[in-house]
Amino acid sequence: MKKIIKNAIIVTMNADNEIIRNGQIEIDDHTITYVGVDREAVGDVIDAKGNIVMPGFINTHCHLAMTLFRGYGENSNFENWWLDYMRPLEDKLEPKDCYYGATLGILELLKNGVTTVADFYINGHETAQAVVDTGIRANIGVGAITGREVLSEEWLDEEIRKINKNELITPILYAHSVYSCDESQYAELNKYAVKHNLIKSTHISETLREVGIVDVKYQMTPIALLESYGFFDSPCLLAHCVHCDRDDIDIMKEYPITVASNPSSNLILGSGIAPLYSFVKNNINVSLGTDGAASNNNLNMFKEMYLADNLQAGVLNQAQAITTIDALKMATVRGAKGLGYTNLGRLEEGYLADMIMIDVSRPNMQPLNDIFNNLVNACESNNVIMTMVNGKILYRDEKYYCNVDYEDIANHCNKIISRMDS
């Protein structure tokens, strides 16, 4: 039966940044068939009651199962956090642990209005099962996850087979970083990406120490090193890009690159503030990610939008360096572009029915003088009252409609940490 959302303020995120008041959205199965003013139609009616309906957020860089390590290694710079806390903890993980950690992360994302996530972590087949059981849309990383993998076409075929559990999952090729992976691993991913038309991703230029190590070893920046590997010759998603200089940006703007910026994580780990204004000014596509909860503490795209917008204003003493509509696009349509989707990130006829509803009746959203500004600078995750993926409501009014039980998942996660601590 067709679903009809009526009485909505529709933030379309279309090319004209159109807002439709007294709007209606019609959904047939998993596809949007109408976006416009209220009209007569037959179907299951959802009354938006004057609330905002907008595209769901697209989180382009996350490590879902790291929700298990929320709060570990606080007040540590990246290198100490990664080597002294995360690596030892990850060595204790059992494959099924990643299922529970990933599921907990997805439930948090759905509550926070995220409908698509790009995840990069060990035991991707367990994350894939979490995606099946929750109903979120996901790009799951396959490749040199730790840097110790020996890659081949046959091995990648098998890893992709393990995660391809339903139509909501898309593989994304992944090499952890230039300091943990070598040229042969990047070359194998390049070859496979071109043959199978897949997006590639890697961490890059996240810390000054990383830039310094690469400079000493190769006499070039990490960005220049990846260019020399041919990594940019097909579409790729670069996570962090905190320490990119003018020469790096001159390289990046010549290739099909998307930056997946993670403002909260970069602040918490003392990594720095990425030059998003320069990326945008040079027509480099910028999207947003939360990173993992172990380096962020929550998976909240509202916080990432707020920081993406306002950190640039503060650092550059320029209030319009990143506009509110820029920040919203980073969290929606530009994220879709970065992950290779042509039918996500907007509310338009023919697009997939991934959307969220925002309660505007609460004090933090009143008055609605500027809807875009309210969404970026005033809205909070508890304003999300509905999350729909592929035409199916997965979260509404504090209740989940998934094939998992939140209490059971949370209990398992706490038991995992008790086991590891003991």
Side-chain angles (χ1 to χ4, degrees):
M1 173 78 70
K2 179 183 288 187
K3 291 186 179 71
I4 302 167
I5 301 176
K6 299 177 70 71
N7 303 322
I9 300 173
I10 304 173
V11 177
T12 63
M13 301 307 297
N14 65 16
D16 298 322
N17 302 322
E18 185 180 10
I19 294 176
I20 302 172
R21 296 177 184 272
N22 299 314
Q24 181 163 307
I25 302 170
E26 297 171 16
I27 301 157
D28 193 349
D29 194 12
H30 57 265
T31 304
I32 298 170
T33 57
Y34 173 79
V35 178
V37 296
D38 278 352
R39 68 177 190 178
E40 289 295 323
V42 177
D44 290 335
V45 175
I46 300 169
D47 188 352
K49 299 179 181 178
N51 289 312
I52 289 172
V53 178
M54 63 174 290
F57 297 126
I58 298 174
N59 181 350
T60 57
H61 186 76
C62 192
H63 311 293
L64 283 168
M66 292 184 85
T67 51
L68 291 168
F69 307 140
R70 195 192 314 264
Y72 277 83
E74 290 299 295
N75 304 119
S76 298
N77 280 357
F78 173 81
E79 289 78 14
N80 303 108
W81 171 85
W82 187 52
L83 294 173
D84 298 339
Y85 291 95
M86 294 304 112
R87 278 297 177 90
L89 286 167
E90 288 172 346
D91 287 342
K92 297 181 180 181
L93 283 175
E94 298 173 1
K96 195 64 177 179
D97 297 342
C98 290
Y99 168 79
Y100 291 108
T103 303
L104 181 64
I106 292 170
L107 294 176
E108 183 177 353
L109 290 177
L110 292 174
K111 187 178 188 301
N112 292 345
V114 174
T115 53
T116 300
V117 59
D119 185 68
F120 308 93
Y121 207 55
I122 56 178
N123 299 311
H125 61 287
E126 296 288 354
T127 299
Q129 189 58 50
V131 170
V132 171
D133 291 346
T134 57
I136 201 169
R137 194 181 305 279
N139 293 64
I140 298 178
V142 172
I145 305 295
T146 67
R148 297 186 288 268
E149 295 83 356
V150 178
L151 304 184
S152 67
E153 183 171 7
E154 294 74 21
W155 186 86
L156 289 167
D157 284 343
E158 177 61 17
E159 291 300 298
I160 288 174
R161 185 195 65 77
K162 291 178 183 176
I163 68 164
N164 267 341
K165 294 180 180 287
N166 68 15
E167 73 281 0
L168 294 174
I169 296 172
T170 302
I172 182 169
L173 300 177
Y174 177 62
H176 180 272
S177 60
V178 293
Y179 52 85
S180 61
C181 300
D182 60 28
E183 183 175 1
S184 67
Q185 290 168 308
Y186 281 100
E188 192 63 43
L189 292 180
N190 286 341
K191 182 173 66 174
Y192 198 91
V194 171
K195 181 175 181 179
H196 298 278
N197 192 30
L198 293 173
I199 306 291
K200 311 180 300 274
S201 188
T202 192
H203 295 95
I204 197 72
S205 300
E206 185 173 358
T207 67
L208 281 173
R209 187 171 186 272
E210 173 195 336
V211 174
I213 289 171
V214 172
D215 182 60
V216 168
K217 186 173 182 179
Y218 299 100
Q219 289 76 58
M220 62 180 78
T221 66
I223 292 292
L225 181 63
L226 284 186
E227 184 189 34
S228 75
Y229 289 169
F231 195 67
F232 300 151
D233 293 345
S234 62
C236 57
L237 182 71
L238 303 182
H240 298 292
C241 296
V242 176
H243 299 286
C244 294
D245 61 20
R246 183 177 300 174
D247 291 338
D248 289 332
I249 291 171
D250 284 341
I251 292 171
M252 294 164 70
K253 70 184 182 182
E254 299 299 323
Y255 294 98
I257 285 171
T258 292
V259 172
S261 184
N262 304 262
S264 295
S265 177
N266 296 148
L267 290 175
I268 288 170
L269 294 179
S271 299
I273 299 171
L276 301 189
Y277 171 74
S278 295
F279 296 146
V280 172
K281 185 178 179 182
N282 284 277
N283 296 314
I284 297 167
N285 190 45
V286 177
S287 63
L288 295 176
T290 59
D291 216 344
S295 63
N296 185 338
N297 294 300
N298 62 21
L299 307 178
N300 184 351
M301 289 287 281
F302 290 102
K303 182 171 67 170
E304 306 308 325
M305 286 194 296
Y306 177 87
L307 291 174
D309 182 0
N310 293 294
L311 283 175
Q312 302 297 299
V315 168
L316 299 173
N317 296 319
Q318 185 176 339
Q320 290 295 314
I322 298 291
T323 65
T324 52
I325 191 65
D326 279 333
L328 271 173
K329 287 181 177 179
M330 290 174 188
T332 53
V333 66
R334 291 178 183 167
K337 179 181 178 181
L339 293 177
Y341 294 105
T342 58
N343 56 356
L344 280 182
R346 297 180 179 181
L347 298 185
E348 285 189 5
E349 183 177 334
Y351 274 57
L352 292 170
D354 290 12
M355 63 192 74
I356 61 176
M357 188 181 297
I358 305 293
D359 185 352
V360 300
S361 68
R362 301 186 186 190
N364 64 312
M365 290 296 285
Q366 290 292 323
L368 286 173
N369 295 322
D370 183 327
I371 287 175
F372 294 135
N373 181 71
N374 275 24
L375 287 171
V376 172
N377 288 309
C379 199
E380 299 173 353
S381 59
N382 62 12
N383 289 102
V384 177
I385 54 175
M386 188 189 79
T387 301
M388 174 187 288
V389 178
N390 218 36
K392 181 180 178 182
I393 295 173
L394 302 181
Y395 172 83
R396 189 175 186 185
D397 296 331
E398 302 294 331
K399 293 183 180 180
Y400 290 103
Y401 298 90
C402 305
N403 293 326
V404 295
D405 177 76
Y406 166 72
E407 297 293 339
D408 178 64
I409 296 299
N411 287 336
H412 269 92
C413 289
N414 280 293
K415 288 178 182 177
I416 290 165
I417 293 303
S418 294
R419 184 197 79 221
M420 294 171 70
D421 284 346
S422 65

